[in-house]
């Protein structure tokens, strides 16, 4: 393989489609294949879709120890996953895991992360028995923005065994009034979270899933502006695609977000951050 590095500029200029064969420097850093309970995507189809877009792909399968679904749903077997997917590892295909953080399963989660992954994403998918997807999506239980963000802060104050803080705007995908999560309505707690990220070298993700929507872009902008103001330098950019079509979705907007606030997009390989430039 030609290892000439492609720059971010040239990738963006190419409209996201370019000659495959150069070393890919832009990765979709957050995707799920059929090893995640909520995805049916074959790894090969994901890899092909990423290559067609001229980007690399990082699989980050779900491991949620506190998920309300019966075992083994949403709890990928890390050893079996790495064994099955080792054959796909390449300059443009990396293997990671997305761990649903939980105060009740700190050790289980640390153990799940302690394998040969390129990246570990820590995400808050549930808050003390309230499952964000199920419960805020018309389910029985509820939490408010303050409770969600306070729980996130509590988790970030523990020992850190992950590289990336996944989708800080996860509940806004499902709640009726995403404005409840606006920076200005929760600035104290957002500031604490962002200060911890800077201090502990946790890289916040720009999750591109909602960024096709201008309102969502404007809602997230102050959070990344503050992160930079507090000394944060790096972000990862991931689509959270669960199918081939969504790989690289809204990347233009996500890179615009990073550039607007002077943040450098990175990806992780062997748990080390690699700058895209
Ligand atoms: Zn997630
Ligand atoms: Zn995900």
């Amino acid at each position: 393989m030609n290892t000439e590095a492609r720059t971010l500029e040239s990738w963006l200029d190419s409209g996201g489609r370019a000659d495959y064969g150069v070393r890919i420097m832009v990765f979709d850093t957050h995707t799920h294949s059929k090893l995640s309970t909520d995805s049916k995507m074959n790894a090969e189809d994901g890899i092909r879709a990423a290559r067609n877009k001229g980007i690399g792909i990082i699989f980050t399968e779900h491991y949620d120890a506190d998920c309300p679904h019966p075992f083994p749903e949403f709890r990928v077997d890390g050893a079996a996953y790495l064994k099955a997917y080792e054959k796909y590892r390449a300059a443009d295909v990396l293997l990671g895991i997305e761990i649903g953080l939980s105060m009740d399963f700190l050790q289980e989660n640390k153990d799940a992360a302690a394998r040969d992954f390129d990246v570990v994403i820590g995400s808050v998918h549930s808050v003390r028995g309230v499952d964000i997807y199920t419960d805020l999506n018309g389910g029985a239980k509820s939490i408010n923005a303050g409770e969600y963000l306070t729980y996130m802060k509590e988790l970030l104050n523990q020992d850190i065994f992950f590289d990336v803080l996944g989708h800080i705007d996860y509940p806004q995908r499902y709640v009726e009034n995403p404005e409840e999560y606006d920076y200005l309505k929760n600035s104290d707690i957002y500031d604490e979270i962002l200060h911890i990220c800077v201090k502990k070298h946790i890289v916040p993700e720009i999750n591109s899933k909602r960024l096709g929507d201008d309102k969502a872009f404007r809602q997230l902008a102050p959070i990344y502006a503050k992160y930079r103001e507090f000394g944060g330098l790096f972000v990862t950019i991931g689509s959270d695609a669960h199918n081939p079509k969504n790989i690289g979705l809204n990347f233009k907007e996500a890179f615009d977000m990073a550039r607007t606030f002077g943040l450098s997009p990175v990806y992780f390989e062997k748990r080390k951050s690699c700058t895209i430039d």
Side-chain angles (χ1 to χ4, degrees):
M1 179 179 278
N2 179 348
T3 55
E4 180 201 340
R6 179 188 299 164
T7 64
L8 178 58
E9 293 296 337
S10 71
W11 180 79
L12 287 168
D13 289 348
S14 76
R17 289 187 69 87
D19 48 313
Y20 178 65
V22 297
R23 178 166 169 75
I24 309 282
M25 301 299 284
V26 172
F27 276 86
D28 188 333
T29 65
H30 184 160
T31 71
H32 298 272
S33 79
K34 65 183 181 188
L35 295 187
S36 292
T37 303
D38 52 357
S39 169
K40 292 189 174 71
M41 180 167 75
N42 285 316
E44 291 88 347
D45 294 337
I47 293 166
R48 195 174 310 117
R51 285 179 179 165
N52 283 337
K53 290 189 172 172
I55 61 178
I57 183 169
I58 308 182
F59 292 106
T60 49
E61 308 298 350
H62 281 300
Y63 181 87
D64 287 77
D66 65 348
C67 139
H69 298 265
F71 185 84
E73 291 186 30
F74 291 98
R75 298 160 185 91
V76 70
D77 176 337
Y81 161 33
L82 288 171
K83 193 163 171 235
Y85 279 27
E86 193 57 47
K87 61 176 182 270
Y88 300 126
R89 266 195 164 127
D92 61 335
V93 183
L94 302 174
L95 305 179
I97 191 164
E98 180 185 16
I99 301 222
L101 302 175
S102 167
M103 288 301 292
D104 301 323
F105 293 90
L106 291 170
Q107 191 57 50
E108 287 86 344
N109 282 347
K110 237 178 252 185
D111 293 346
R115 294 189 185 277
D116 182 23
F117 293 117
D118 288 297
V119 64
V120 177
I121 300 175
S123 295
V124 183
H125 291 143
S126 70
V127 178
R128 301 189 195 289
V130 180
D131 183 67
I132 304 298
Y133 173 75
T134 315
D135 289 317
L136 299 193
N137 211 2
K141 298 178 235 167
S142 187
I143 49 157
N144 61 38
E147 288 166 320
Y148 181 80
L149 294 168
T150 301
Y151 190 61
M152 180 179 279
K153 184 188 84 173
E154 193 178 347
L155 287 157
L156 294 173
N157 274 326
Q158 309 306 309
D159 281 351
I160 297 301
F161 56 87
F162 52 93
D163 311 299
V164 173
L165 176 63
H167 48 51
I168 197 164
D169 59 329
Y170 182 62
Q172 287 95 302
R173 293 180 188 178
Y174 309 115
V175 293
E176 227 167 277
N177 299 308
E179 300 77 24
E180 187 203 336
Y181 285 79
D182 281 357
Y183 173 78
L184 285 177
K185 293 182 184 152
N186 306 275
S187 60
D188 289 356
I189 184 78
Y190 275 120
D191 286 356
E192 286 183 76
I193 287 169
L194 298 169
H195 274 301
I196 299 169
C197 286
V198 173
K199 192 169 128 213
K200 293 191 157 184
H201 304 289
I202 302 161
V203 176
E205 171 182 88
I206 296 179
N207 193 286
S208 62
K209 191 180 180 100
R210 298 173 58 243
L211 292 183
D213 171 4
D214 279 354
K215 252 167 98 178
F217 189 97
R218 284 198 302 275
Q219 188 189 33
L220 284 173
I223 296 172
Y224 294 100
K226 279 285 163 185
Y227 168 65
R228 181 68 192 93
E229 186 185 317
F230 298 155
L233 296 173
F234 305 112
V235 288
T236 57
I237 292 179
S239 68
D240 214 349
H242 286 62
N243 57 54
K245 167 170 84 51
N246 285 349
I247 289 166
L249 185 73
N250 304 325
F251 264 31
K252 165 90 175 59
E253 288 79 0
F255 278 99
D256 279 351
M257 176 82 81
R259 282 175 163 184
T260 301
F261 301 112
L263 297 165
S264 298
V266 298
Y267 63 92
F268 282 79
E269 185 167 2
K270 297 186 190 306
R271 308 292 304 272
K272 298 255 183 305
S273 73
C274 308
T275 313
I276 305 168
D277 57 16

